[in-house]
C-alpha cells in the first residue's frame, strides 16, 4: 500500500511533534496563531537544523508543502479535541516519545545516505530527534527539557548505536528502523515511569 | 534615478530594523558595543536565516559590505539623535512596521525567484520579516514580541497572500510590492492603535 | 613535527572551549550527559555557525570525528580533574581567552580563503570566536557573557583588524597568527584584571 517506509516514518513523526508543540504552547496561554507557529517549529525544527548542518538546502519542509499542511491540520485538530486528548495524557506522552524515535531514525538514515562517519550519524539522528523540542523550549523561554534531570538525548544516542549495529549485522533496514523506534519509545517510557536519571554528581 | 526597486526596499528595511534594534538594546542598558551588535543582528537576522534555509550562501550581508556600513551609520546616528527620535515615538513605531513590510516583500520575492511553492514563499517572507526581531528578543532574554498577545506574524502572512494574489492577476511587480508594504504597515498601525489581538481561548 | 599550523590552532581552541563549557555546565548542576553536550556545543558552536553562514557544508565537525573525540576526552578529563583545575582558576580563564584568540584567527583565515571582504572577514572571525559561548549561555538560560558589561567581542574585532594589517604588510602568516592570538589573550587579561568596560552612557 505504501511505497516508502521513510516517508511514513517522517509523516508520523511530524504529527507526533505537532501535537506536542500545540500542547506546550497552549499551556503557556499563547493565542491561536502563536500555538500554530510553535507546533510548526517543534515539528520541523530538528530536520531544519539537520539539513542546514549537512547543506541539504532548501531544507526539507520548503520542498514539501504536504508537511506544512499535515502540521496545520494536526495542530487545529489537537486544539479542537483538546479535552478528549488531555484525558489521554499517557497517549500524548507516547506520541512525543514516538516522535523522538521516528525522527532519530530519519536523521540516522539521512546521515548514512550522505556517507557520514557512524559516530556523526548518531549525532545527526540525535539532533534531528531532539532539536525541535529544544527550539520550542527556547522560544517559550523555559529551560530545555533536554537539560533537565530526565534522561532524554541519551536515549537517542543509545538507539542510534543499536541501529548501526543492526545494519552491520545485515538486518533488514525496515525491520531495524522499527526495532530502534520501539527501543527508543520503550526506554523513554521506562525512564519516565521509574523516574530514572543519571546519578547527581558532586562536582 | 534608482536602477533597482528591490535594492532600495532592502536598504530601507535595513535602516528601519537597525533603528529598532538600537532602541531595544539601549532600553536594556547595554554598552555602546552591545547596542551595535544588537542593531546588526536585528537588521540582518531575518535575511540570514532565510539564506541559510534556502542555501543561498555566503548569506546576503557577507557579500555586501554596504549593508554593514548602513547599519553602523544608522545605529550611531540613532544613538546620537536619541532624544530627538524618542519624542517621535510614533515615527519609530512606523519605522519598525515599515521594516516588517519591506523585509517581508524581500523574502517573498526571493522565494518566488528560487521557484518555491506559493505557501512556502509566504512562510519565507514571514521568516525574513520577523526573525530579526525574534533573535533580538532571545539575545536580550525577553519573550519574543511575536509570542506576546499582539498580532504580529499574521500581518506578514496576510500581506504575503495579497502579494501572490496581485501577481496572479498580473499587477505590476513594483506596484504590488508598494501595495503590500502599505498594507502591512497600515494593518500594524490599526492593530496597535485598537489593541487588537486574537480572542483569548479557554484551552 | 606538525604539518599544519591551522590544524594545531583549531585543536587547541577546541580543547580550551570544551573545558570552559564543561565548567559552565557543572556550575549549573547538569548531569554528566548534559555537561558533555554543553562542552560539545561550546566547542563547535562558533565554527558551525561560521560554516553555515558561508555555506561550507557539511559543517567542519561532521567531516572530522577527531574533533568529537578531542571534546569527549577533554570534557571527561575536566570533570575528573575538576578539583585540581578549579584551584587553577586563573589557568581556566587563560584557556577560555586562548580559545577566543585561537578561534578568531581560524575564522579570519577561513574568510580570507573564501575571498570575503576584509570587514566581513573580521566579522567572521568574531563570530567564530564568540558564538560557541553565546549558544552555551542561551542554552543555560543566562544572559550571554558577550552582552554583559565586560569588553568581549570588541577584543576579537581589534585582533582581527591587527591580523589584516599584519598580512597587508607581508608579515609571515604563522607569525601573524601567533601575534594576534597573543594580543587577544593579553587584552582579555588586562580587561578582566582592570575591570575595564565601555563607559556607561546615559541613553
Amino acid at each position: 500500500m505504501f511505497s516508502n517506509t521513510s516517508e511514513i516514518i517522517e509523516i508520523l513523526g511530524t504529527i507526533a511533534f505537532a501535537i506536542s508543540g500545540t500542547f506546550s504552547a497552549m499551556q503557556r496561554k499563547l493565542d491561536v496563531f502563536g500555538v500554530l507557529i510553535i507546533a510548526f517549529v517543534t515539528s520541523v525544527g530538528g530536520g531544519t537544523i539537520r539539513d542546514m548542518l549537512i547543506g541539504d538546502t532548501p531544507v526539507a519542509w520548503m520542498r514539501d508543502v504536504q508537511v506544512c499542511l499535515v502540521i496545520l491540520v494536526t495542530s487545529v485538530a489537537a486544539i479542537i479535541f483538546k479535552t478528549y486528548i488531555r484525558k489521554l495524557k499517557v497517549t500524548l506522552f507516547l506520541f512525543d516519545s514516538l516522535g523522538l524515535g521516528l525522527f532519530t531514525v530519519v536523521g540516522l538514515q539521512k546521515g548514512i545516505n550522505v556517507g557520514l562517519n557512524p559516530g556523526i550519524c548518531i549525532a545527526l539522528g540525535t539532533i534531528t530527534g531532539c532539536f525541535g523540542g529544544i527550539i520550542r523550549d527556547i522560544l517559550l523561554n523555559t529551560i530545555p527539557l533536554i537539560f533537565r534531570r530526565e534522561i532524554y538525548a541519551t536515549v537517542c544516542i543509545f538507539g542510534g548505536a543499536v541501529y548501526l549495529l543492526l545494519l552491520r549485522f545485515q538486518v533488514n533496514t525496515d525491520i531495524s528502523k522499527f526495532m530502534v523506534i520501539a527501543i527508543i519509545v520503550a526506554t523513554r517510557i521506562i525512564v519516565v515511569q521509574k523516574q530514572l536519571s543519571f546519578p547527581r554528581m558532586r562536582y
Side-chain angles (χ1 to χ4, degrees), chain A residues 21 25 33 40 43 46 51 101 139-141 152 175 194-195:
Chain A
F33 198 77
F40 185 78
S43 230
D51 289 347
L139 289 178
L140 294 176
N141 213 13
Y152 197 87
I175 294 176
K194 310 243 169 185
Q195 298 194 287

Side-chain angles (χ1 to χ4, degrees), chain A residues 22-194:
Chain A
T22 303
F23 276 71
S24 300
M26 290 201 294
Q27 279 174 3
R28 299 287 295 226
K29 310 272 181 210
L30 297 193
D31 65 47
V32 182
F33 198 77
V35 169
L36 290 180
I37 291 182
I38 295 288
F40 185 78
V41 167
T42 309
S43 230
V44 306
T48 299
I49 300 276
R50 175 199 66 210
D51 289 347
M52 291 199 304
L53 287 174
I54 62 175
D56 183 14
T57 53
V59 299
W61 63 269
M62 295 206 143
R63 288 169 292 181
D64 187 5
V65 208
Q66 204 192 339
V67 169
C68 305
L69 290 177
V70 167
I71 295 171
L72 185 66
V73 171
T74 306
S75 187
V76 169
I79 294 176
I80 294 170
F81 293 111
K82 60 187 188 302
T83 334
Y84 183 65
I85 294 177
R86 263 214 184 144
K87 276 179 187 160
L88 301 173
K89 202 176 176 182
V90 179
T91 314
L92 176 66
F93 167 71
L94 283 176
F95 266 98
D96 191 62
S97 305
L98 197 58
L100 195 70
L102 292 158
F103 272 10
T104 301
V105 166
V106 172
L108 275 164
Q109 191 56 49
K110 192 147 187 178
I112 291 169
N113 294 347
V114 179
L116 297 173
N117 177 289
I120 306 295
C121 289
I122 295 178
L124 202 60
T126 306
I127 288 169
T128 310
C130 297
F131 251 85
I134 293 181
I135 299 175
R136 175 197 65 206
D137 293 341
I138 290 177
L139 289 178
L140 294 176
N141 213 13
T142 59
I143 294 181
L145 186 60
I146 198 175
F147 296 121
R148 291 177 221 150
R149 308 261 18 249
E150 206 178 281
I151 292 170
Y152 197 87
T154 321
V155 173
C156 302
I157 293 175
F158 174 64
V162 170
Y163 186 65
L164 293 181
L165 269 179
L166 289 171
L167 293 189
R168 169 80 44 104
F169 287 107
Q170 314 258 327
V171 179
N172 173 283
T173 310
D174 283 356
I175 294 176
S176 302
K177 283 179 182 171
F178 181 77
M179 285 179 67
V180 168
I181 295 167
I183 287 173
I184 292 180
V185 175
T187 314
R188 277 291 293 158
I189 294 173
I190 294 168
V191 161
V192 169
Q193 273 212 329
K194 310 243 169 185

